[in-house]
Amino acid sequence: MDNPIGFPNSNIESLDPHFLEKAEQCPACKAEAKELLRVPTINPKAQDTLALMECLSCGHWWHNPLPDQKYLTKLYEQDSEFVVNAQALTKFGALKEEQLLKFVKPILKDFPAGKSFNYLEIGSGAGHILKYFSGLAQSAWGVEPSRAKNEPKLIPDIDDLPTDIKFDCIVAQDVLEHVTDPSGMLKKIRQRTNKGGLIYAGFPNKDSFKARMMKAKWSMVRPVGHLHYFSSASIDRIFKQAGWEVLNKRPARIGDTSAWEIIKEFDYGMANLPYRLIKSLLLGQLLLGKDQWKIRAVAL
């Protein structure tokens, strides 16, 4: 999409309408949709609002209008407050060793020590998981728009990958909710993947009771940092369209934490403990906390 004034700087207080596209039909199945409500963006300086849409067929949620992908990528490169919370940036490098090992353990069941494979990570963040697999894989590459400076195998865009390599193990954790076209992104990844390669993905679970109950107050609804919220049906459609077969699909808590881990790590010294035990621990985390999807799919 052309715009004679070019991309804006990250301190803008309004989204540029030149780079916003109407998205009134479902991105997953092209069915008709209804507008649930309008939601402000996560930029505290801005007055923009976007519609939260729901597909009448597969139940997928998304925002309308959607930003053009090149514009969106530029916002991420600039760490714009439209896509990245300023507080989150200060925690960008934080990842405990036990969290890392917990994340990679299921992947190592498919790619044990000694197995030859190429690794690709979309949304590498600070690069902790990429660094881990760099010591195991024949070749390991990462894609991260805002953190790709001076790292030869950490690049800003999937289109910058070398054309002479295909991958067997792909991680796309907390990625598909951030892109304009999730199916299009999965197709690009599939083109870079050997047949039989595996992708491990995670993103917001719109089917969760917390999402359906809270709607715009659900913490995952945060445009334009998040653009898509997936139902079980929309996952199947989007992955199939892109050349993948979903092998495993399960609801999970953020960080894939177990009920025991939540109980053990809860702050029992906080004020108003009985109220917090019921609202935060019992309701918010134990009963309603599984508002993410964990996906394992194979390239067809």
Side-chain angles (χ1 to χ4, degrees):
M1 183 181 296
D2 295 328
N3 180 357
I5 63 173
F7 289 116
N9 294 321
S10 59
N11 61 355
I12 56 172
E13 296 183 9
S14 183
L15 291 168
D16 192 326
H18 290 88
F19 296 99
L20 300 179
E21 301 175 343
K22 287 185 178 180
E24 296 174 346
Q25 287 187 322
C26 177
C29 68
K30 307 305 179 187
E32 296 301 313
K34 66 179 179 180
E35 180 178 319
L36 296 178
L37 39 78
R38 296 196 68 84
V39 186
T41 71
I42 61 171
N43 187 340
K45 304 179 184 124
Q47 301 297 317
D48 304 74
T49 63
L50 285 81
L52 179 63
M53 308 292 291
E54 180 176 47
C55 176
L56 298 176
S57 177
C58 72
H60 189 77
W61 284 3
W62 72 97
H63 289 295
N64 178 36
L66 287 169
D68 170 82
Q69 185 59 49
K70 289 183 179 179
Y71 176 48
L72 188 62
T73 299
K74 182 62 65 175
L75 293 176
Y76 275 105
E77 288 175 351
Q78 298 171 340
D79 289 331
S80 166
E81 289 188 83
F82 276 108
V83 293
V84 181
N85 183 283
Q87 184 179 4
L89 282 175
T90 64
K91 300 178 181 179
F92 201 91
L95 184 65
K96 296 179 181 178
E97 183 178 0
E98 58 265 31
Q99 293 174 314
L100 172 63
L101 295 176
K102 181 179 180 180
F103 182 84
V104 302
K105 187 176 179 180
I107 302 175
L108 295 178
K109 292 180 180 179
D110 293 318
F111 297 92
K115 184 172 183 177
S116 177
F117 67 97
N118 293 326
Y119 175 82
L120 172 63
E121 185 175 347
I122 311 295
S124 301
H128 299 293
I129 299 170
L130 177 62
K131 183 177 180 181
Y132 181 90
F133 278 103
S134 294
L136 299 178
Q138 278 189 312
S139 182
W141 288 77
V143 177
E144 179 57 57
S146 64
R147 293 291 184 279
K149 301 175 179 65
N150 303 319
E151 294 288 343
K153 290 192 175 182
L154 184 58
I155 56 178
D157 193 283
I158 191 171
D159 292 332
D160 297 326
L161 285 168
T163 57
D164 60 347
I165 184 172
K166 286 197 172 184
F167 299 91
D168 309 286
C169 176
I170 299 93
V171 168
Q173 179 65 31
D174 299 323
V175 169
L176 295 182
E177 69 268 40
H178 296 276
V179 300
T180 299
D181 179 9
S183 181
M185 173 58 73
L186 284 170
K187 286 177 183 176
K188 280 191 174 185
I189 297 172
R190 175 62 188 90
Q191 291 167 359
R192 304 284 188 167
T193 304
N194 287 314
K195 184 177 181 180
L198 296 172
I199 186 171
Y200 307 84
F203 36 72
N205 175 8
K206 169 264 158 184
D207 286 346
S208 69
F209 185 71
K210 183 184 287 188
R212 289 183 283 113
M213 178 179 67
M214 301 186 73
K215 291 188 171 63
K217 293 184 179 180
W218 181 34
S219 61
M220 291 295 102
V221 175
R222 46 190 316 272
V224 290
H226 289 173
L227 297 172
H228 295 274
Y229 314 94
F230 299 79
S231 69
S232 177
S234 71
I235 290 169
D236 293 339
R237 288 176 181 272
I238 287 171
F239 276 77
K240 183 177 180 180
Q241 290 167 5
W244 299 88
E245 179 185 352
V246 176
L247 300 176
N248 306 103
K249 175 176 54 178
R250 64 180 176 86
R253 299 179 182 90
I254 291 179
D256 210 12
T257 52
S258 67
W260 172 242
E261 287 172 321
I262 290 173
I263 292 171
K264 185 172 62 173
E265 296 174 5
F266 189 76
D267 181 7
Y268 294 95
M270 65 173 60
N272 300 318
L273 183 59
Y275 172 77
R276 295 293 182 185
L277 280 172
I278 295 173
K279 181 180 179 182
S280 180
L281 180 60
L282 179 60
L283 293 177
Q285 299 187 59
L286 294 180
L287 296 180
L288 305 180
K290 291 187 176 182
D291 60 353
Q292 307 294 299
W293 288 111
K294 297 287 283 187
I295 305 296
R296 175 174 168 266
V298 62
L300 299 175

